[in-house]
């Protein structure tokens, strides 16, 4: 497994016929036959050489510090997936040579495994529990188990060990609980858990009806506010037009006092030319008749005065000045 330590064995026995210095080599045989072998570590002339392969510098060593004892095994520390390959051990001592090959495969343990629920967790629905490891060498295998309640998977469940999916058909409320998934391969395991809560279906019709009623109510309130604003605006506009409306073609009304003054003034002018001959006309007209605002005098018509026996009207109420009215005695003189 990645991150662990591995020992590649290489043992030998020296015979009496073997002469000369001992030479031990470990080489990495490339997958491509056209490439040369790469020396990893070597023992020669009672000395170890381990600087040939930079990718394993500091991560490899002979199992036995003295390979002359007949043990030339190699230890590789903190394995990496890139260390996968074919390794060969060569033992040389004249006149003979021995070698053996070892296939090393570095696996990655399952890691960062995550569990999830797919589908609506409602009664009668199909629910899928998913499990997947983001790290791990093939072949990964997944297994689900229930860790709460009866601790047995529902009878309608269907498990796919290769994909990690657990299908629960026609879910019921009894399916609720905690489920655990274990991901495994040849070198390790990893696991995760998920909580399943099966509930009754949501009343979608009630929710939709409530939303519609709320929307209509909001529109009604908005329409009422718009109506009130428009009505208030029209009232202000009408008041403003009435306040500034000036009719220039209508003359101002005449007051009763000014009409009375005009009437009295005309009488004064007539009195200035009074004579015994024209006094008779004044006595025939009753003075108690007060001219109205619409009083109009025709040209050439002189006003007449009432006899002295008729009381004079109170002209002070009309805003006019009192006038002394002449009268004629029995002998014909003016009094």
């Amino acid at each position: 497994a990645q991150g662990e330590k591995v020992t590649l064995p290489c043992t030998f026995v020296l015979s009496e016929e073997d002469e000369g210095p001992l030479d031990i080599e470990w080489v990495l045989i490339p997958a491509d036959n056209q490439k040369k072998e790469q020396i990893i570590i070597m023992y020669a002339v009672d000395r170890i050489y381990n600087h040939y392969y930079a990718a394993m510098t500091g991560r490899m060593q002979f199992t036995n510090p003295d390979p002359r004892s007949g043990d030339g095994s190699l230890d590789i520390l903190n394995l990496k997936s890139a260390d996968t390959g074919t390794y060969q051990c060569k033992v040389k001592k004249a006149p003979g040579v021995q070698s053996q090959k070892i296939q090393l495969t570095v696996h990655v343990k399952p890691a960062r495994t995550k569990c999830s629920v797919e589908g609506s967790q409602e009664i009668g629905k199909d629910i899928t529990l998913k499990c997947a490891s983001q790290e791990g060498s093939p072949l990964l295998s997944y297994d689900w188990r229930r860790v709460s309640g009866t601790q047995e998977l529902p009878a309608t469940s269907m498990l796919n060990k290769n994909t990690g999916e657990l299908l629960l058909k026609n879910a019921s409320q009894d399916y609720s609980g905690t489920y655990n998934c274990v991901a495994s391969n040849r070198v390790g395991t990893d696991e995760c858990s998920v909580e399943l809560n099966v509930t009754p279906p949501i009343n979608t019709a009630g929710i939709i009806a409530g939303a519609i009623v709320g929307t209509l109510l909001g529109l009604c309130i908005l329409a009422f506010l718009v109506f009130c604003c428009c009505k208030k605006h029209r009232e202000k506009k009408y008041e403003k037009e009435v306040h500034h409306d000036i009719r220039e073609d209508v003359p101002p009304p005449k007051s009763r006092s000014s009409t009375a003054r005009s009437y009295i003034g005309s009488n004064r002018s007539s009195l200035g030319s009074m004579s015994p001959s024209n006094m008779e006309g004044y006595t025939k007209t009753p003075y108690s008749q007060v001219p109205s605002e619409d009083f109009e005098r025709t040209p050439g018509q002189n006003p007449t005065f009432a006899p002295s026996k008729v009381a004079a009207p109170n002209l002070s109420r009309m805003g006019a000045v009192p006038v002394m009215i002449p009268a004629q005695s029995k002998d014909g003189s003016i009094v």
Side-chain angles (χ1 to χ4, degrees), residues 113-119 127-133 142-144 158-160 163-168 179-182 192-194 196:
T113 304
K114 293 184 178 180
C115 297
S116 60
V117 179
E118 186 179 76
I127 304 174
T128 301
L129 305 183
K130 288 191 172 184
C131 179
S133 297
Y142 298 93
D143 190 20
W144 281 93
M158 300 175 61
L159 174 61
N160 189 330
T163 61
E165 293 184 357
L166 177 64
L167 176 60
L168 305 177
Y179 290 78
N180 189 58
C181 172
V182 179
C192 63
S193 299
V194 66
L196 179 63

Side-chain angles (χ1 to χ4, degrees), residues 185-204:
N185 60 8
R186 295 178 59 184
V187 292
T189 61
D190 192 30
E191 60 184 58
C192 63
S193 299
V194 66
E195 187 72 22
L196 179 63
N197 185 22
V198 182
T199 58
I202 302 174
N203 186 10
T204 55

Side-chain angles (χ1 to χ4, degrees), residues 1-4 78-84 104-113 133-142 183-190:
Q2 180 173 266
E4 294 184 355
N78 189 20
L79 281 171
K80 297 181 180 179
S81 59
D83 296 338
T84 298
L104 174 63
T105 303
V106 180
H107 293 275
V108 179
K109 293 180 179 180
R112 295 193 294 169
T113 304
S133 297
Q134 302 194 16
E135 293 182 9
S137 299
L139 296 166
L140 282 173
S141 178
Y142 298 93
S184 60
N185 60 8
R186 295 178 59 184
V187 292
T189 61
D190 192 30

Side-chain angles (χ1 to χ4, degrees), residues 16 42 56 79 115 119 142 162 229 233 252 281 289 292 306 316 326:
E16 295 178 356
M42 184 174 64
M56 287 188 178
L79 281 171
C115 297
Y142 298 93
N162 296 326
C229 292
H233 177 72
Q289 295 179 359
S292 63
S316 61

